[in-house]
Amino acid sequence: MAELHRTIANAAAMHRFGVDLAATLLAGDLIVLTGPLGAGKTTLTRGLGEGLQVRGAVTSPTFVLARTHPSLVGGPPFVHVDAYRLGSAMELDDLDIDFARSIVVVEWGRGLLDGITESWLDIEIERPQGRALVTSETDAAASVLDLDHDLDEPRTVTLAGHGPRWDRLALV
């Protein structure tokens, strides 16, 4: 498993990181995003959508669970999943996502994707401690308010590649 650590200065840089990362992605790629509410997962995902040149605004799919964005340039569809409210891999499977032909990003997906594919990219985003934006699980719905713009501070991003696709992790 290859691993890479980066410091991302602010929300604009997180978005740019997503745009740059998109240039390395192929159909069948799976990215699992982990981090607390407000860490920048949706900002990164917006950057991926821009870099992949997909149709539609990339927003948090908290209430619809998954959104598919068709490519505007003949590339694979981009699927954005918010697994926060899912309790098991079976519930994720019920979404009937075409993992093999799409580029899929799953927020809150750690532990729900075993057996989906032999390769995936795990991205963990950490923000400064002691400045929590959300204090309880009942505030989870607030994630649709784009809290990742509230604290425009540096984030630590750890990328961990799993499987043959990511053996040589030399990304953006």
Side-chain angles (χ1 to χ4, degrees):
M1 171 176 62
E3 196 170 283
L4 179 70
H5 301 277
R6 295 204 53 191
T7 299
I8 307 293
N10 53 37
M14 184 69 76
H15 182 89
R16 183 80 224 154
F17 177 68
V19 171
D20 293 343
L21 178 59
T24 69
L25 299 178
L26 307 168
D29 282 346
L30 171 63
I31 299 171
V32 178
L33 295 179
T34 303
L37 290 170
K41 297 180 297 295
T42 301
T43 299
L44 172 60
T45 305
R46 274 192 201 103
L48 291 170
E50 180 181 317
L52 293 170
Q53 298 180 54
V54 299
R55 186 179 72 211
V58 176
T59 59
S60 180
T62 300
F63 297 108
V64 295
L65 300 181
R67 282 198 176 93
T68 299
H69 299 273
S71 175
L72 295 171
V73 294
F78 178 57
V79 181
H80 182 199
V81 179
D82 186 328
Y84 186 82
R85 294 184 299 138
L86 299 181
S88 69
M90 190 179 324
E91 288 181 63
L92 181 63
D93 189 50
D94 287 344
L95 297 176
D96 201 28
I97 296 167
D98 186 353
F99 286 93
R101 292 186 187 96
S102 304
I103 295 171
V104 180
V105 172
V106 181
E107 295 186 34
W108 306 99
R110 189 173 278 164
L112 294 177
L113 299 159
D114 295 339
I116 295 286
T117 182
E118 67 177 351
S119 296
W120 71 95
L121 182 62
D122 217 350
I123 301 178
E124 183 159 0
I125 305 171
E126 298 174 66
R127 66 167 195 255
Q129 298 297 314
R131 304 270 315 263
L133 294 172
V134 177
T135 58
S136 73
E137 286 185 30
T138 58
D139 291 338
S143 66
V144 298
L145 300 176
D146 289 333
L147 295 175
D148 40 25
H149 289 291
D150 286 356
L151 288 178
D152 204 17
E153 299 175 330
R155 307 300 204 251
T156 301
V157 176
T158 301
L159 296 93
H162 301 270
R165 165 74 170 103
W166 301 104
D167 275 346
R168 292 174 299 165
L169 187 65
L171 298 171
V172 295

